[in-house]
Amino acid sequence: MSDRRLDVRKTYKLLINGAFPRSESGRSYEVASAKGAFLGNVALGSRKDVRDAVVAARAAQTKWWGATAYNRGQVLYRLAEMAESRRDELAEHVTLAEGVSAKSAQVVVSRAIDRVVWYAGWTDKIAQVMGGTNPVAGPFFNFSVPVASGVVAVIVDQNSSLGGFVDAVLAPVCAGNTVVVLASERRPIPAVLLGEMTATSDFPPGVINIITGRTSELAPVLAAHEDVDGLDLTGAPEEANELALLAAGSIKRVLRPDGRDLDASLRRLRAFIETSTVWHTIGQ
Amino acid sequence: MTTVPLRIVRETDRGVRIPLAATVPTVESEAQLRALLASLSGVDAVGAEARAARLATRSIKKSTKLAAINLAISMVDLTTLEGADTPGRVSSLCTKAMRPDPRDASVPHAAAVCVYPDLVAHARAVLADSPVKVASVATAFPSGRASLHVKLLDVTEAVAAGADEIDMVIDRGAFLSGRIGQVFDEIVAVREVCGAAHLKVILETGELVTYDNVRRASWIAMLGGADFIKTSTGKAAVSATGSTALVMLEAVRDFAEQTGRVVGVKVAGGIRTTKDAIRYLVLVNETVGATWLSPDYFRFGASSLLNDLLMQRLKQHRGAYVRPDEFSGD
Amino acid sequence: MRTFAPTNSVETDMTDRQLANSELGFLEYDPAPESASIAQLRPNYGLFVDGVFTDPGSHEQFTSINPANEEIVATVAQASAQDVDRAVTAARRAYDKVWSKTTGAERAKYLFRIARLIQERARELAVVETLDNGKPIRESRDVDVPLAAAHFFYYAGWADKLEHAGFGADPRSLGVAGQIIPWNFPLLMAAWKLAPALAAGNTCVLKPAETTPLSALILAEILQQAELPPGVVNIVTGDGSTGSALVDNPGVDKIAFTGSTEVGRSLQQRVATSQKRLTLELGGKGANIVFDDAPIDEVIEGIIDGIFFNQGHVCCAGSRLLVQETIADEVLRRLVRRVEQLRVGDPLDKNTDVGAINSAAQLARIRELSDVGEREGATRYTSSCALPVKGYWFAPTIFADVAQSHRIARDEIFGPVLSVLTFRTPEEAVAKANNTNYGLACGVWSEKGSRTLWVAQRLRAGVIWANTYNRFDPTSPFGGMRESGFGREGGRHGLEAYLNV
């Protein structure tokens, strides 16, 4: 008899409102590594999971937006700390998911963590870069403030299991949005791990909600959901037209992939930021 | 304080509702006065100025213009308040006030002649039984920097000399340092020695600076018994402006609605042209309305305004612009 | 403390009055009409394509009427899909051959020229706008035309400074912009669209609204006087089918639309299957929030400006008055009195406050929703003003006792109709203000700065006016959240809509 220990496997679950439920549908699907090995039965999110996630995101948005930008930055930075401490686990799963070498995976993880730090530093700069005062021709103090769009649905890059997730999710979140994320269908596990880390990073429940499952089934639900304010179609280039059409029903802001690299770009940040302009009279 | 019950009926929705039964509240302490002033709404300077500026763009033409000119002439307190004033100067002013255009009997007489107290007797003699009133500035005009005793004596002498109307100044120093009870008491005291003479209370708004102060000072004056509230002495750097007049008109409107007492408004200082005068009449028309469109409740304190009104009036009749020398230079 | 005991002389005067009520409007103003002949319009207009007007005879025609008297002002061309295509082709050619090679500094000078020419022809433009739209001459003269000129003047300065606008070192133009504008501020909306597009280096095909095409055609003459290169701006008049042809034209890189949420939604759907960029400035149901410490006289004027400016044909109109319950009766009383004072009538009269409703169709909608308001149980106050017999008119109207669930509290009426609701706490005010799918504009009235900012921070609206309402400036970004659209017009932010960033 060998004294080799049987490892304890993890069930990969959804992240909704700070909790980790299995899909309300009870469904799951098999996720394999790039090389075809069985990695686990990942929760197969349903329309109702999407609905619950949107409700959670909506409820959390006021609080997240109401937090100080300094506080949001600290929460994001805490995520980087969590990721750093679990970087080997992330790297292992990037290797499994993407089939890259262990060394390459370490580079991917390093970049992803550094990107989290980059976004952590943005939270209290956005208003200064994108807002300002406007010299109107009259006795008014007039200033423009960037404001989060609200609830953003993010369909993350299907290929980049970690890096794509970080950019697409943290750009809207650092600006004060809450998100419902459809993880990469075939490579969801790094995203699920990162979701677990958000739960220990002081994110209020509901700020980041992650659904794993079939993009073709869930993306249209998110695109059509009228209480979703913005839609990032990065992970659904082929269905972009159809999803954009659904999004038009409630005049959503839609970020469409157009071949240009959006990562770490102001365009990505601006995509789900509104400008609110306040006029106040000036007089004695 | 009496309030007007809310009732919305088409006819009475229009204009200013002046209750017959309401009364002016009795002011018994400075604290009460302070509380009353604190209950007044603030004024947003930008909005008030925008409103006045917009009303200044009203285009008054033809018969409306003629009616407005005639009305304005009848509202003029023809004023001379110079160190160099003499009986002769006052005489010619009185003559002008009684018959602004000696060739045209349809031109109304001015409302009053406004002089310093020592010239009241002379003005009274010249005006005799004429309907033109004698108004006198008093209370150590224009600064008001004298003891209450001296101020009251000033008023008493002017009234004794035959003044129908007294234009007093408030103690701006007391107002600005928060001694509003003193400001109020002085007005009440002057009111008492005025007897039958009408009291105009000059706020000197250019020294009060803010519209909130103008509104509060207006209320102090009205509560103290002013028959008119008046913008300025004409001796400060800033005199009457459209927006200041607007705020004062709003004050007399609100006061009339709450107390049933109609207080007049006099604008003074820097009003020289027919255009200026008509702008004020538009403000009156659209802020307080018909009751105030009368010399009983609205006055212009001015000297050169009258001749411009006469010139514009003649132009309306002749259809061509006329020479300044058509009219006496008084 | 001394006490003042009022003498009775004044009271005696008052008791003599049968009606202790001071009527406003003792001075009835004689008509002071601006001369319609200043407009100098041609009887027929063609399209403005490639720098010239096409022969009016070569198109189907439609008439633009004066809504104040239903008389024909001019006849204009109905642009077909082929006409639109010619315009887009001209714009593309001008973009490729001329405009994209014109330096920012040169583009700036064209825009400065246009601004000056608008100022020079301001009186004429104001009269044309009033004739075609029905808005009071006071507004076209003091608001529409000067702001249109200011908009060109402002964006002119950006043309050679785009690298400093915060969109990267070398922001590029998009190409050909198709721009569809509404009938409520015809010239001003043309300026809002054209000025940033041209400054950013795009060429344009502009489609004015069907009922108000004329000021844009005068603007076309101004562009000729400015010697703007042919094809840089093309103006195609027509109805909705012309707009559709523009949206669907494959040669267009960007669509900018101002109009109803309903049409905006359908445009977004149509553009969804293309790579066209889109910005939308849509409807609203603006809340005007009045706290009990607000400056009451300015509040009343602000409410009036908020809803009766431009006959309420304003997407950002303060059509929902939210007033604190403690002062609701007083505010309503003063409002009703003030509404009675509004001078409704001949838009060309310089003393007119409220002009004509722009079209029979819009009048029908306003009437329908007002009738709904009455049926829903709201209390209606309508000005007793006399309305002209001919033309499209609707007397200024206030509905009190309106509930959140009433249609007049939810649907955009786009007319001179105010719905009055009440609230008890700042939190409730914000909740009610945000209880709409729109998110364009709101007003807040209070003398307490901290609370004003607290409310402003929580309102879901692109524009928030504190102690004022319906103010516009070229430097100030304008645009909505949620179903009021996306993208901003005005200010540095307004450039983004026309840059490939």
Side-chain angles (χ1 to χ4, degrees):
Chain A
M1 291 292 288
S2 156
D3 56 0
R4 184 173 150 260
R5 179 178 172 274
L6 189 66
D7 59 350
V8 179
R9 284 186 181 165
K10 181 189 280 184
T11 305
Y12 296 101
K13 299 198 284 188
L14 309 178
L15 170 56
I16 299 175
N17 204 24
F20 297 91
R22 292 196 174 86
S23 169
E24 63 74 39
S25 66
R27 304 180 303 175
S28 62
Y29 70 113
E30 269 186 33
V31 170
S33 73
K35 295 184 173 140
F38 174 74
L39 291 179
N41 292 309
V42 173
L44 182 68
S46 70
R47 304 167 67 94
K48 283 186 183 169
D49 293 321
V50 166
R51 177 199 63 188
D52 294 345
V54 172
V55 169
R58 176 59 67 196
Q61 205 267 325
T62 312
K63 190 177 178 195
W64 182 237
W65 172 245
T68 62
Y70 177 52
N71 180 239
R72 287 201 301 270
Q74 294 213 316
V75 172
L76 262 69
Y77 187 75
R78 179 74 178 157
L79 176 62
E81 290 177 348
M82 291 294 116
E84 189 77 37
S85 69
R86 288 171 65 178
R87 58 172 301 133
D88 290 342
E89 182 188 5
L90 282 169
E92 181 193 340
H93 278 282
V94 167
T95 298
L96 289 169
E98 301 185 14
V100 295
S101 70
K103 199 176 162 194
S104 298
Q106 288 290 348
V107 172
V108 167
V109 170
S110 293
R111 277 195 189 145
I113 294 171
D114 289 353
R115 189 59 55 78
V116 176
V117 172
W118 190 75
Y119 280 114
W122 255 118
T123 57
D124 50 7
K125 317 295 182 294
I126 292 172
Q128 291 178 312
V129 171
M130 299 187 195
T133 57
N134 309 303
V136 297
F140 301 95
F141 186 63
N142 176 300
F143 57 98
S144 291
V145 185
V147 175
S149 294
V151 174
V152 176
V154 181
I155 303 166
V156 298
D157 192 323
Q158 298 292 345
N159 301 315
S160 170
S161 63
L162 186 66
F165 180 93
V166 165
D167 263 294
V169 172
L170 293 194
V173 164
C174 94
N177 296 282
T178 54
V179 291
V180 177
V181 188
L182 276 192
S184 164
E185 184 173 330
R186 285 183 298 117
R187 300 168 172 178
I189 292 176
V192 171
L193 294 179
L194 214 54
E196 290 168 1
M197 295 171 203
T198 66
T200 51
S201 307
D202 306 323
F203 275 100
V207 172
I208 296 177
N209 304 276
I210 302 172
I211 309 287
T212 48
R214 304 286 180 219
T215 304
S216 60
E217 180 191 359
L218 301 180
V221 179
L222 276 170
H225 198 304
E226 293 186 2
D227 204 30
V228 170
D229 301 296
L231 180 64
D232 181 340
L233 291 175
T234 304
E238 313 218 316
E239 301 84 5
N241 282 353
E242 176 204 327
L243 295 172
L245 189 63
L246 290 171
S250 57
I251 325 271
K252 286 184 184 52
R253 290 88 181 99
V254 180
L255 181 65
R256 298 181 65 144
D258 65 355
R260 286 181 302 167
D261 185 12
L262 283 169
D263 292 349
S265 70
L266 271 188
R267 184 175 167 219
R268 176 151 246 157
L269 273 178
R270 276 200 311 264
F272 303 111
I273 286 178
E274 316 279 332
T275 299
S276 185
T277 298
V278 180
W279 298 62
H280 200 298
T281 50
I282 298 175
Q284 297 188 61
Chain B
M1 178 163 287
T2 315
T3 57
V4 186
L6 183 73
R7 66 197 159 128
I8 296 173
V9 182
R10 179 62 48 71
E11 285 68 30
T12 53
D13 289 345
R14 307 187 71 175
V16 180
R17 287 211 308 269
I18 303 161
L20 299 176
T23 54
V24 177
T26 310
V27 175
E28 275 152 10
S29 69
E30 185 169 277
Q32 183 206 347
L33 182 61
R34 201 174 296 286
L36 197 149
L37 298 189
S39 75
L40 299 173
S41 166
V43 181
D44 188 275
V46 175
E49 284 165 13
R51 172 72 177 147
R54 181 178 295 179
L55 286 176
T57 69
R58 289 291 196 218
S59 181
I60 305 302
K61 303 285 182 203
K62 301 176 199 162
S63 66
T64 315
K65 186 168 185 178
L66 197 54
I69 289 171
N70 284 340
L71 186 58
I73 291 170
S74 76
M75 291 171 161
V76 169
D77 282 4
L78 201 54
T79 302
T80 186
L81 295 171
E82 302 299 333
D85 285 345
T86 59
R89 162 88 178 131
V90 171
S91 293
S92 55
L93 214 64
C94 291
T95 310
K96 178 97 171 181
M98 289 187 283
R99 286 293 299 275
D101 183 350
R103 294 159 306 185
D104 185 348
S106 70
V107 176
H109 63 80
V113 167
C114 184
V115 295
Y116 272 114
D118 62 324
L119 290 161
V120 167
H122 184 73
R124 179 81 275 160
V126 178
L127 290 172
D129 298 336
S130 141
V132 176
K133 309 284 188 199
V134 178
S136 175
V137 295
T139 67
F141 180 94
S143 71
R145 299 254 67 84
S147 69
L148 179 59
H149 173 72
V150 170
K151 291 179 187 176
L152 293 179
L153 199 60
D154 203 14
V155 175
T156 308
E157 287 187 5
V159 172
D164 303 299
E165 303 173 353
I166 296 296
D167 291 21
M168 72 168 284
V169 291
I170 65 163
D171 187 337
R172 285 88 75 188
F175 180 91
L176 291 170
S177 62
R179 289 174 280 132
I180 56 173
Q182 185 186 331
V183 177
F184 177 84
D185 284 346
E186 270 194 22
I187 294 167
V188 173
V190 170
R191 161 88 266 177
E192 279 168 6
V193 297
C194 274
H198 273 215
L199 174 63
K200 304 194 196 105
V201 177
I202 302 172
L203 309 180
E204 196 67 303
T205 56
E207 291 183 357
L208 300 183
V209 179
T210 72
Y211 297 112
D212 289 336
N213 281 348
V214 170
R215 178 167 285 177
R216 291 182 194 127
S218 297
W219 275 78
I220 294 173
M222 293 187 293
L223 290 164
D227 296 302
F228 268 80
I229 50 176
K230 176 176 169 184
T231 58
S232 337
T233 60
K235 306 293 185 189
V238 178
S239 290
T241 65
S243 44
T244 312
L246 174 69
V247 170
M248 290 168 66
L249 286 164
E250 289 163 353
V252 298
R253 177 201 63 200
D254 294 348
F255 191 77
E257 289 198 323
Q258 289 184 31
T259 68
R261 186 160 189 276
V262 180
V263 174
V265 173
K266 178 173 171 182
V267 291
I271 304 159
R272 294 190 181 88
T273 67
T274 300
K275 196 171 183 174
D276 292 339
I278 289 178
R279 282 180 176 172
Y280 282 109
L281 292 181
V282 166
L283 274 175
V284 175
N285 193 40
E286 301 205 25
T287 310
V288 289
T291 300
W292 277 266
L293 281 169
S294 136
D296 291 344
Y297 296 113
F298 197 77
R299 296 279 181 89
F300 295 103
S303 45
S304 62
L305 170 66
L306 183 56
N307 263 3
D308 195 66
L309 287 165
L310 292 170
M311 280 171 63
Q312 294 301 323
R313 187 177 183 280
L314 201 54
K315 186 256 167 187
Q316 291 291 308
H317 284 297
R318 285 190 188 165
Y321 294 104
V322 301
R323 290 192 188 100
D325 286 335
E326 281 283 342
F327 302 100
S328 68
D330 300 315
Chain C
M1 192 110 197
R2 293 164 180 273
T3 309
F4 161 62
T7 60
N8 65 1
S9 62
V10 179
E11 275 69 26
T12 309
D13 289 346
M14 291 309 301
T15 47
D16 288 340
R17 290 172 189 279
Q18 288 299 306
L19 182 66
N21 202 35
S22 176
E23 284 276 336
L24 293 164
F26 165 79
L27 272 181
E28 286 301 337
Y29 306 150
D30 275 338
E34 181 61 281
S35 167
S37 64
I38 291 168
Q40 292 184 320
L41 287 160
R42 302 180 219 167
N44 304 301
Y45 283 90
L47 308 173
F48 183 66
V49 176
D50 215 6
V52 293
F53 282 95
T54 60
D55 175 11
S58 64
H59 307 278
E60 203 179 305
Q61 302 278 302
F62 67 99
T63 55
S64 192
I65 64 157
N66 178 348
N69 58 20
E70 299 174 62
E71 285 168 14
I72 293 172
V73 186
T75 302
V76 291
Q78 164 70 40
S80 65
Q82 289 84 348
D83 293 327
V84 169
D85 196 54
R86 282 186 47 236
V88 172
T89 305
R92 172 63 58 195
R93 193 166 50 236
Y95 181 75
D96 291 341
K97 298 225 162 96
V98 184
W99 202 239
S100 62
K101 295 173 184 161
T102 306
T103 63
E106 292 301 299
R107 292 202 305 274
K109 287 191 284 181
Y110 282 113
L111 292 179
F112 280 126
R113 270 192 187 181
I114 294 165
R116 274 285 188 260
L117 285 160
I118 290 173
Q119 289 172 333
E120 286 165 15
R121 295 177 69 172
R123 196 166 169 203
E124 174 193 359
L125 282 163
V127 172
V128 168
E129 202 72 318
T130 286
L131 284 175
D132 206 21
N133 170 282
K135 67 173 64 201
I137 189 79
R138 175 171 64 74
E139 289 178 6
S140 48
R141 177 195 68 199
D142 296 346
V143 181
D144 295 61
V145 177
L147 271 179
H151 225 79
F152 277 103
F153 203 90
Y154 173 76
Y155 276 107
W158 268 124
D160 56 356
K161 302 168 191 69
L162 296 174
E163 69 272 26
H164 303 298
F167 301 108
D170 185 23
R172 301 295 176 89
S173 54
L174 293 170
V176 176
Q179 305 174 313
I180 301 172
I181 57 172
W183 46 259
N184 57 346
F185 297 91
L187 179 72
L188 183 58
M189 290 302 104
W192 278 27
K193 294 282 181 283
L194 294 174
L198 297 177
N202 304 273
T203 58
C204 303
V205 179
L206 178 81
K207 210 247 3 141
E210 183 184 2
T211 60
T212 56
L214 299 178
S215 54
L217 294 166
I218 305 296
L219 183 61
E221 293 175 5
I222 285 173
L223 302 179
Q224 287 179 322
Q225 289 178 337
E227 294 172 15
L228 190 72
V232 171
V233 172
N234 306 273
I235 298 174
V236 289
T237 49
D239 59 14
S241 69
T242 306
S244 288
L246 185 57
V247 171
D248 294 339
N249 192 293
V252 172
D253 300 298
K254 192 241 156 60
I255 295 290
F257 171 78
T258 298
S260 72
T261 292
E262 194 187 347
V263 175
R265 196 189 315 276
S266 82
L267 283 192
Q268 192 180 353
Q269 286 163 343
R270 289 159 77 156
V271 170
T273 53
S274 75
Q275 288 294 323
K276 286 175 190 145
R277 301 292 185 86
L278 179 68
T279 43
L280 299 171
E281 205 274 272
L282 309 176
K285 189 75 186 177
N288 208 355
I289 301 170
V290 178
F291 288 100
D292 64 3
D293 68 335
I296 187 80
D297 288 293
E298 291 71 46
V299 161
I300 300 300
E301 293 308 315
I303 296 168
I304 294 286
D305 274 347
I307 186 62
F308 300 119
F309 172 58
N310 204 34
Q311 296 71 248
H313 301 328
V314 186
C315 48
C316 52
S319 53
R320 280 187 299 154
L321 175 64
L322 291 174
V323 56
Q324 193 164 355
E325 247 180 72
T326 47
I327 54 161
D329 288 349
E330 178 65 11
V331 167
L332 183 63
R333 185 179 78 81
R334 286 171 180 250
L335 255 186
V336 170
R337 170 171 75 196
R338 184 68 180 81
V339 165
E340 276 292 300
Q341 250 185 292
L342 288 168
R343 312 175 73 88
V344 183
D346 181 7
L348 278 175
D349 192 312
K350 292 171 200 161
N351 294 324
T352 291
D353 296 320
V354 179
I357 301 303
N358 181 253
S359 67
Q362 189 57 32
L363 180 59
R365 175 172 169 81
I366 296 166
R367 282 182 175 154
E368 185 207 321
L369 277 164
S370 303
D371 292 346
V372 167
E374 274 189 67
R375 282 205 301 278
E376 286 176 327
T379 311
R380 178 174 182 160
Y381 302 102
T382 291
S383 166
S384 62
C385 62
L387 296 178
V389 180
K390 289 191 75 183
Y392 314 128
W393 298 92
F394 194 90
T397 293
I398 295 173
F399 280 104
D401 310 315
V402 176
Q404 284 276 91
S405 55
H406 286 167
R407 267 186 76 195
I408 52 169
R410 312 200 69 79
D411 292 5
E412 185 177 38
I413 299 174
F414 220 65
V417 181
L418 176 70
S419 298
V420 184
L421 299 90
T422 60
F423 68 86
R424 294 162 297 176
T425 63
E427 207 158 88
E428 187 181 0
V430 169
K432 285 186 164 175
N434 285 341
N435 184 208
T436 168
N437 284 335
Y438 294 116
L440 189 51
C442 281
V444 188
W445 297 82
S446 169
E447 292 266 278
K448 185 168 175 173
S450 59
R451 185 170 55 206
T452 296
L453 292 174
W454 186 90
V455 170
Q457 243 180 5
R458 283 158 183 79
L459 288 173
R460 245 178 349 227
V463 183
I464 293 156
W465 285 293
N467 288 7
T468 188
Y469 208 96
N470 270 342
R471 299 280 169 173
F472 308 94
D473 191 275
T475 67
S476 178
F478 183 93
M481 298 184 183
R482 315 186 91 202
E483 297 202 359
S484 290
F486 43 77
R488 290 292 176 271
E489 296 183 285
R492 181 183 69 78
H493 296 77
L495 290 168
E496 187 184 346
Y498 295 99
L499 290 172
N500 191 12
V501 290

